Amino acid sequence: MVAVPEEPRVRLPQLKLDELLEELQARINAARGTQDRVRSLLEAVLSVGRELDLEQVLRSIVEAAVVLVDAEYAALGVIGPDGTRLSAFHTVGVTEAQISAIGPYPEGHGILGELIRHPHPLRLAKISEHPASYGLPPGHPPMNSFLGVPIRVRDEVFGNLYLTEKRGGAEFDEEDESVLSTLAVAAGVAIDNARLYENSRLRERWLRANAEISHSLMSGTDRADSLGLIAERAREISDSALAAVAMPMEGTKSLAVEIAVGVDAEAHRGLVLPMHDSLMGLAYTASAPVTSDDVIHDPRISPEPPRFEGLGPAVAVPIGTGAGGVRGVVLVARESGRPVFFQKETEMLQGFAAQASIAMELAERRQDAQQIALLEDRDRIARDLHDLAIQRLFATGMTLQSAGRFIEHPEAAERVLRAVDDLDETIKIIRSTIFGLRAHSGTAGTGLRARVVSAVGEATPLLGFAAGVRMEGLVDTDVPPEIADDVMAVLSEALANIARHAHADRAQVVLTTDGREVCLKVSDSGVGIPPDGRRSGLANMAERAEKLGGRFEVTSPEGGGAVLDWSVPLPTR
């Protein structure tokens, strides 16, 4: 037999089995890690999308970002309305003690500002090496590696996600950037949903407030109570510290703050505001909303009298526009440091004010209709009295008068004549009543409120400045004309004294009444009243107060100037 030669064996490369197994295990772990990361990303997206409260959504986004990219610190900065600064900051990984030590939250300088100016993902191995880096403030924990991505809500950059310090000292890689960018897309959708939900709830609250005010006005509630309800609801729903409602003063170019609620409401209530240097006056003149980011330092607003201490963002909205005209102005202001009023908030407040104006107009039309019905009823009663009662009484008197000639008994004749005289007197009384019923209320004379504003305005050129005016109570209704004349005489004398002798740069006129007493207080920041000065004007004021059973006092406060206090009781009704 011939032996068949064996085929040569193929010799494989000599690989260590342990290395093969390790590489296989590494690939399995990588696949498992990717799978776990995808699962974590999906869970994060679901978690973020589940929330409807905006603040909770933002908190969930930051917490999810830390876990997904394995970072020690994370923050979400919300870009303000000007598009250049951060208006809110949400952090994870930094304790309250560290936040207090660092100081105020960043506004968007350095690396944070770089992402605002260029809204694209930014990945750094070392923050300090970037040209835009400003360094970290004292007390700030050390941070080196950085990853930032923008959050877009539709076509708007809402804010940015900032991640620092990858755990284990590693750098953020492309996969981290991809995962965080995916989370940012989901975050944008969640933020948009939360905003829509928040706006719908806010709009619902405004609608309920409108319904409440309409019901109040149509049920005949006093105007002051209805205006108070407008101010209170505007303050609550807009999350403001102060709300005020001002109405135009008839016969003047001024607004009177009739209602104020919230912080330092007393400083606003009763103020008479000019149209040109007050936020409410500007809104009334323009028939459009007027906003201020900082109402204290706004050059358009007169700082006198001081009334916005501790307040910052504010907006004044006209009550009513268009053909119906502006009926008044509502102002709301937040505490200093709070967010400014966004356009959407202003639009909702403007809609609320417009609906309140419609309700006020409907209530006035209803009152007019009731007044017309009342006047028509009075006219009918007057006509019936004239055509029926007076004619019957006149005929009866004529009959008695003619019958008196046939009465021979003197005493009886005298009684008949007295009865005729009584009938004549009764006819006169009825005619007077008819005249009163038919005398429609014509145009009322200029009220005390308008006279005071006019007097202060006329004194402005003499004073060299505009004096502040505040009025509270039913000044036009409760103060009778004769006392109103004395009030005006005292006010004119006081303003003339300030102009001639006080050398003041500020003055304040306060007129109040509670229905039992009227009080006039005039104060200035001048040199006060010298001991050897003329006192004829002061004597006249004191004499007027004494004549009416009132009191008059002049004092000099520690800060300088003089305070004139004049008050008299009002007649009981």
Side-chain angles (χ1 to χ4, degrees):
M1 291 181 65
V2 179
V4 180
E6 294 182 1
E7 295 181 2
R9 293 182 180 180
V10 179
R11 299 178 61 86
L12 295 175
Q14 298 295 318
L15 295 177
K16 295 182 180 179
L17 182 59
D18 290 344
E19 292 179 359
L20 286 172
L21 291 176
E22 286 179 3
E23 183 179 351
L24 179 60
Q25 186 64 42
R27 291 174 182 265
I28 292 173
N29 290 338
R32 183 181 294 120
T34 301
Q35 184 180 6
D36 291 342
R37 201 165 196 186
V38 170
R39 185 183 298 112
S40 298
L41 178 60
L42 291 175
E43 290 176 354
V45 169
L46 291 174
S47 174
V48 168
R50 205 176 289 126
E51 299 290 344
L52 286 175
D53 179 75
L54 183 58
E55 289 298 314
Q56 189 57 46
V57 167
L58 300 180
R59 169 62 56 180
S60 299
I61 292 169
V62 182
E63 292 174 347
V66 167
V67 174
L68 286 174
V69 298
D70 200 21
E72 287 192 31
Y73 308 106
L76 192 157
V78 180
I79 299 176
D82 60 358
T84 62
R85 294 183 300 175
L86 299 176
S87 62
F89 212 69
H90 303 265
T91 62
V92 168
V94 185
T95 64
E96 292 295 330
Q98 288 175 316
I99 293 174
S100 299
I102 295 170
Y105 282 118
E107 294 185 352
H109 303 295
I111 296 296
L112 305 188
E114 181 70 16
L115 207 58
I116 295 174
R117 292 185 294 271
H118 306 287
H120 304 289
L122 178 64
R123 195 156 36 93
L124 302 173
K126 199 171 185 60
I127 297 175
S128 58
E129 294 178 354
H130 193 279
S133 177
Y134 276 15
L136 300 174
H140 200 289
M143 293 181 179
N144 292 302
S145 56
F146 175 87
L147 174 60
V149 296
I151 298 176
R152 298 179 183 274
V153 177
R154 302 191 183 187
D155 296 329
E156 167 199 359
V157 178
F158 174 84
N160 297 305
L161 266 174
Y162 309 107
L163 282 299
T164 59
E165 289 300 280
K166 176 89 170 176
R167 294 185 186 276
E171 297 179 13
F172 294 105
D173 55 23
E174 291 185 6
E175 187 176 343
D176 292 326
E177 181 179 321
S178 176
V179 168
L180 200 61
S181 297
T182 304
L183 177 65
V185 173
V189 176
I191 291 169
D192 192 29
N193 289 337
R195 274 180 163 181
L196 292 173
Y197 177 71
E198 191 175 77
N199 287 340
S200 67
R201 290 186 63 189
L202 191 59
R203 200 175 299 277
E204 182 183 356
R205 293 183 67 189
W206 284 119
L207 290 173
R208 284 202 305 266
N210 275 129
E212 184 181 5
I213 290 165
S214 299
H215 180 268
S216 171
L217 287 166
M218 298 304 291
S219 62
T221 303
D222 182 74
R223 191 181 87 150
D225 293 337
S226 298
L227 293 180
L229 188 60
I230 291 173
E232 191 61 52
R233 293 296 174 267
R235 185 183 69 85
E236 290 175 358
I237 300 175
S238 65
D239 194 22
S240 299
L242 169 76
V245 177
M247 306 298 284
M249 296 180 60
E250 188 176 354
T252 69
K253 295 182 179 180
S254 304
L255 295 173
V257 181
E258 297 192 10
I259 299 294
V261 294
V263 175
D264 286 338
E266 291 295 331
H268 296 262
R269 197 174 296 125
L271 274 179
V272 177
L273 302 173
M275 296 294 184
H276 58 280
D277 59 357
S278 66
L279 203 65
M280 300 179 100
L282 294 172
Y284 184 88
T285 304
S287 299
V290 178
T291 60
S292 174
D293 292 348
D294 188 354
V295 73
I296 294 181
H297 301 100
D298 196 320
R300 300 172 298 172
I301 304 169
S302 170
E304 295 293 336
R307 58 194 185 278
F308 292 113
E309 188 65 33
L311 300 178
V315 59
V317 172
I319 301 176
T321 54
V326 179
R327 294 177 172 273
V329 179
V330 58
L331 174 140
V332 290
R334 290 171 177 159
E335 294 175 343
S336 180
R338 293 289 312 284
V340 298
F341 287 90
F342 296 115
Q343 182 179 356
K344 184 66 69 175
E345 292 178 295
T346 302
E347 288 175 356
M348 289 186 182
L349 180 60
Q350 188 176 11
F352 167 74
Q355 290 297 321
S357 173
I358 293 172
M360 291 170 68
E361 184 173 358
L362 290 175
E364 288 175 5
R365 295 292 178 268
R366 181 179 178 182
Q367 290 177 355
D368 290 343
Q370 292 174 343
Q371 184 69 15
I372 291 172
L374 177 62
L375 294 175
E376 289 177 347
D377 200 37
R378 286 183 175 182
D379 195 55
R380 179 187 59 77
I381 294 172
R383 188 170 56 251
D384 290 346
L385 286 174
H386 180 271
D387 295 344
L388 300 176
I390 287 184
Q391 298 303 325
R392 293 288 297 273
L393 288 173
F394 185 76
T396 302
M398 292 291 291
T399 301
L400 288 174
Q401 195 172 23
S402 61
R405 295 196 297 267
F406 300 103
I407 300 174
E408 298 180 356
H409 195 284
E411 187 176 349
E414 184 181 354
R415 290 186 178 182
V416 170
L417 290 176
R418 281 204 304 268
V420 172
D421 291 340
D422 289 343
L423 286 173
D424 286 341
E425 190 64 30
T426 302
I427 290 173
K428 291 179 182 178
I429 293 172
I430 294 176
R431 280 178 173 164
S432 177
T433 303
I434 292 172
F435 179 78
L437 287 171
R438 284 181 170 174
H440 297 178
S441 56
T443 303
T446 304
L448 178 57
R449 186 183 293 267
R451 292 173 67 186
V452 169
V453 174
S454 178
V456 173
E458 291 173 0
T460 298
L462 298 175
L463 295 170
F465 57 87
V469 182
R470 183 195 307 277
M471 285 181 273
E472 294 184 30
L474 302 176
V475 174
D476 290 336
T477 305
D478 289 344
V479 183
E482 59 275 10
I483 295 181
D485 291 339
D486 284 309
V487 170
M488 291 307 303
V490 172
L491 175 60
S492 298
E493 181 70 29
L495 293 174
N497 286 343
I498 295 173
R500 286 195 296 262
H501 309 299
H503 304 292
D505 59 3
R506 293 192 313 275
Q508 179 80 5
V509 176
V510 179
L511 179 65
T512 61
T513 180
D514 57 1
R516 298 185 299 272
E517 185 181 47
V518 60
C519 302
L520 174 66
K521 181 178 289 187
V522 183
S523 58
D524 66 76
S525 61
V527 298
I529 300 176
D532 56 348
R534 293 181 57 189
R535 303 215 170 225
S536 56
L538 299 179
N540 290 336
M541 298 180 198
E543 184 180 343
R544 288 180 182 276
E546 184 179 354
K547 179 185 66 174
L548 297 171
R551 60 183 178 82
F552 173 69
E553 184 181 7
V554 179
T555 58
S556 297
E558 294 181 1
V563 178
L564 179 153
D565 201 338
W566 188 92
S567 61
V568 296
L570 297 175
T572 56
R573 298 188 175 186

